[in-house]
Amino acid sequence: MANEERQQPLRLGSIAPNFKAETTKGPIDFHEFIGDKWVVLFSHPEDYTPVCTTELGAFAKLEPEFTKRGVKLIGLSANTIDSHDGWIKDINEISGSNLNFPIIGDKERKVAYAYDMLDYQDTTNVDSKGIAFTIRSVFIIDPKKTIRLILSYPASTGRNTAEVLRVVDSLQTGDKHRITTPINWVPGDDVIVHPSVNNEQAKELFPDFKIVKPYLRFTPLPKEKTTAA
Ligand code: BEZ
């Protein structure tokens, strides 16, 4: 394959490749689906498998929290839409959820190849022909269609939906204010003044900021300004 044809690896900052696909909610053009929202695109290995069933139920239950933040969920596996449709009934029954987000039917693995989601490690994570299924990938994509987070979990390990939501909160907060978020941060905790902000600017932006070391400055987030009615 000529160099220019070789697919570039997807990295943080890459534009999410566009694709057309069938989903449980009908056909989509991915960039149109993103529109002006954030998107969590996540793959699972296979329908009707135990860990995946718990994961999809958990994402379905947390969907209202993603929606509040302007985030759309979309799942994917190398199974058919008919298979997804049948399995969603089980997910809802088992988890007490009402799974509403689309799941892509990527039997041909077109999207899985484009997003490098295939399992190159677990020889049990294959279909009846021995062709690799997907790993548990997560992509957080912003409204400019830029990839902001990539996670890869093996088939054996279920993800943590609260962590995916926490990263959304961190990214959205960081985009709004000139801050970063420390280890184990959750909304409400103090944040870190971005290294590009000098102390003079920090005094203006974050009057209560504290200098622990010249390179480590904590601050509460400024209170949201409310407009008088
Ligand atoms: C699961 O979801 O339980 C699973 C799927 C594929 C391989 C291993 C585990």
Side-chain angles (χ1 to χ4, degrees):
M1 190 186 284
N3 266 347
E4 60 276 12
E5 288 170 23
R6 206 167 288 154
Q7 189 190 315
Q8 293 298 308
L10 292 183
R11 300 196 168 119
L12 302 188
S14 300
I15 295 299
N18 197 20
F19 57 84
K20 290 185 174 26
E22 293 298 326
T23 83
T24 48
K25 301 284 184 188
I28 60 158
D29 171 290
F30 188 54
H31 281 190
E32 282 174 18
F33 174 81
I34 298 172
D36 60 357
K37 300 288 187 195
W38 289 70
V39 165
V40 175
L41 166 67
F42 64 102
S43 56
H44 62 271
E46 194 186 4
D47 297 351
Y48 297 102
T49 53
V51 176
C52 303
T53 303
T54 63
E55 286 192 312
L56 275 278
F59 272 113
K61 282 183 142 176
L62 210 55
E63 188 176 18
E65 288 300 319
F66 285 101
T67 305
K68 264 192 223 165
R69 291 156 173 80
V71 182
K72 293 162 93 174
L73 301 178
I74 183 162
L76 175 148
S77 72
N79 300 113
T80 62
I81 300 299
D82 280 351
S83 165
H84 290 335
D85 282 338
W87 181 47
I88 286 169
K89 294 191 186 100
D90 280 4
I91 295 168
N92 287 339
E93 180 195 321
I94 293 162
S95 66
S97 58
N98 177 20
L99 197 156
N100 241 319
F101 53 82
I103 305 178
I104 296 166
D106 192 32
K107 188 111 182 96
E108 305 303 321
R109 291 141 170 96
K110 281 193 200 143
V111 182
Y113 277 119
Y115 280 78
D116 199 12
M117 291 167 159
L118 289 172
D119 196 334
Y120 292 102
Q121 175 202 244
D122 183 347
T123 51
T124 67
N125 188 24
V126 294
D127 67 13
S128 56
K129 294 185 185 140
I131 304 171
F133 276 136
T134 41
I135 48 170
R136 303 184 195 283
S137 297
V138 181
F139 290 84
I140 298 182
I141 299 162
D142 72 15
K144 292 182 181 153
K145 298 166 183 66
T146 303
I147 296 174
R148 302 290 298 275
L149 170 107
I150 303 174
L151 287 173
S152 303
Y153 281 57
S156 57
T157 306
R159 285 159 284 199
N160 183 326
T161 49
E163 170 62 3
V164 178
L165 191 66
R166 192 189 75 92
V167 179
V168 166
D169 282 331
S170 169
L171 291 170
Q172 293 187 342
T173 306
D175 284 0
K176 194 160 169 198
H177 304 278
R178 294 175 70 189
I179 61 95
T180 56
T181 60
I183 179 77
N184 294 335
W185 174 87
V186 286
D189 290 353
D190 282 358
V191 295
I192 293 175
V193 179
H194 195 281
S196 68
V197 177
N198 66 33
N199 285 343
E200 283 308 301
Q201 295 167 317
K203 266 184 225 152
E204 287 290 312
L205 293 169
F206 313 109
D208 298 323
F209 86 104
K210 303 253 168 345
I211 302 175
V212 178
K213 291 281 179 192
Y215 57 83
L216 178 59
R217 299 163 299 166
F218 282 100
T219 177
L221 269 183
K223 298 260 177 304
E224 294 291 325
K225 287 196 182 76
T226 49
T227 44

Coordinates of all heavy atoms in Angstrom, one line a residue, residues 22-24 47-48 79-89 103-105 107:
E22 N -25.3 1.3 9.4 CA -26.6 1.0 9.8 C -26.6 0.9 11.4 O -25.6 0.4 11.9 CB -27.0 -0.4 9.3 CG -27.2 -0.5 7.8 CD -28.3 0.4 7.3 OE1 -29.3 0.6 8.1 OE2 -28.2 1.0 6.2
T23 N -27.6 1.4 12.0 CA -27.7 1.3 13.5 C -29.1 0.9 13.8 O -30.0 0.8 13.0 CB -27.4 2.7 14.1 OG1 -28.7 3.5 14.1 CG2 -26.4 3.5 13.5
T24 N -29.2 0.6 15.1 CA -30.6 0.2 15.6 C -31.6 1.3 15.5 O -32.8 1.1 15.7 CB -30.4 -0.3 17.1 OG1 -29.7 0.7 17.8 CG2 -29.7 -1.6 17.2
D47 N -22.6 -9.2 21.1 CA -23.9 -9.3 21.7 C -24.1 -10.6 22.5 O -23.5 -11.6 22.2 CB -25.0 -9.2 20.6 CG -25.0 -7.9 19.8 OD1 -24.2 -6.9 20.2 OD2 -25.7 -7.8 18.8
Y48 N -25.0 -10.6 23.4 CA -25.4 -11.8 24.2 C -24.2 -12.4 24.9 O -24.0 -13.6 24.9 CB -26.0 -12.8 23.3 CG -27.3 -12.4 22.7 CD1 -27.4 -12.0 21.3 CD2 -28.5 -12.4 23.4 CE1 -28.6 -11.7 20.7 CE2 -29.8 -12.1 22.8 CZ -29.8 -11.7 21.5 OH -31.0 -11.3 20.9
N79 N -21.7 -7.3 15.1 CA -22.9 -8.1 15.0 C -24.0 -7.4 14.1 O -23.8 -6.2 13.8 CB -23.5 -8.3 16.4 CG -22.5 -9.1 17.3 OD1 -22.0 -8.5 18.3 ND2 -22.2 -10.3 17.0
T80 N -25.1 -8.1 13.8 CA -26.1 -7.5 13.0 C -27.1 -6.6 13.8 O -27.1 -6.8 15.0 CB -26.9 -8.6 12.2 OG1 -27.6 -9.3 13.3 CG2 -26.0 -9.5 11.4
I81 N -27.8 -5.8 13.1 CA -28.9 -5.0 13.7 C -29.9 -5.9 14.4 O -30.4 -5.6 15.5 CB -29.6 -4.1 12.7 CG1 -28.5 -3.1 12.1 CG2 -30.7 -3.3 13.3 CD1 -27.8 -2.2 13.0
D82 N -30.3 -7.0 13.7 CA -31.3 -7.9 14.3 C -30.8 -8.5 15.6 O -31.5 -8.6 16.5 CB -31.5 -9.1 13.3 CG -32.5 -8.7 12.2 OD1 -33.1 -7.6 12.3 OD2 -32.6 -9.5 11.2
S83 N -29.5 -8.8 15.6 CA -28.9 -9.4 16.8 C -29.0 -8.3 17.9 O -29.4 -8.5 19.1 CB -27.4 -9.8 16.6 OG -26.7 -10.0 17.8
H84 N -28.6 -7.0 17.6 CA -28.6 -6.0 18.6 C -30.0 -5.8 19.1 O -30.2 -5.7 20.3 CB -28.2 -4.6 18.0 CG -26.8 -4.5 17.6 ND1 -25.7 -5.2 18.2 CD2 -26.2 -3.6 16.7 CE1 -24.6 -4.8 17.7 NE2 -24.8 -3.9 16.8
D85 N -31.0 -5.8 18.2 CA -32.4 -5.5 18.6 C -32.9 -6.6 19.6 O -33.5 -6.2 20.6 CB -33.3 -5.5 17.4 CG -33.2 -4.2 16.6 OD1 -32.8 -3.2 17.2 OD2 -33.6 -4.2 15.4
G86 N -32.6 -7.8 19.3 CA -33.0 -8.9 20.3 C -32.3 -8.8 21.6 O -32.9 -8.9 22.7
W87 N -31.0 -8.4 21.6 CA -30.2 -8.4 22.8 C -30.6 -7.2 23.7 O -30.6 -7.3 24.9 CB -28.7 -8.3 22.4 CG -27.7 -8.2 23.5 CD1 -27.7 -9.0 24.6 CD2 -26.6 -7.3 23.6 NE1 -26.6 -8.7 25.4 CE2 -25.9 -7.6 24.8 CE3 -26.1 -6.3 22.8 CZ2 -24.8 -6.9 25.2 CZ3 -25.0 -5.6 23.2 CH2 -24.3 -5.9 24.4
I88 N -31.0 -6.1 23.0 CA -31.4 -4.9 23.8 C -32.6 -5.2 24.7 O -32.7 -4.7 25.8 CB -31.8 -3.7 22.8 CG1 -30.5 -3.1 22.2 CG2 -32.6 -2.6 23.5 CD1 -30.8 -2.2 21.0
K89 N -33.5 -6.1 24.3 CA -34.6 -6.5 25.1 C -34.0 -7.2 26.4 O -34.5 -7.0 27.5 CB -35.5 -7.5 24.4 CG -36.2 -6.9 23.2 CD -37.3 -7.8 22.6 CE -37.9 -7.2 21.4 NZ -37.4 -7.8 20.1
I103 N -27.0 1.6 18.3 CA -25.9 0.7 18.3 C -25.6 0.3 16.8 O -26.5 -0.1 16.1 CB -26.1 -0.6 19.1 CG1 -26.5 -0.3 20.6 CG2 -24.9 -1.5 19.1 CD1 -26.9 -1.5 21.4
I104 N -24.4 0.5 16.4 CA -24.0 0.3 15.0 C -23.8 -1.2 14.8 O -23.2 -1.9 15.6 CB -22.6 1.0 14.7 CG1 -22.8 2.5 14.9 CG2 -22.1 0.6 13.3 CD1 -21.5 3.3 14.9
G105 N -24.3 -1.7 13.7 CA -24.1 -3.1 13.3 C -22.9 -3.1 12.3 O -23.1 -2.7 11.1
K107 N -20.9 -5.7 11.2 CA -20.5 -7.0 10.9 C -19.3 -7.1 10.0 O -18.4 -8.0 10.2 CB -21.7 -7.7 10.2 CG -21.6 -9.2 10.0 CD -22.5 -10.0 10.9 CE -22.4 -11.5 10.8 NZ -21.5 -12.1 11.8

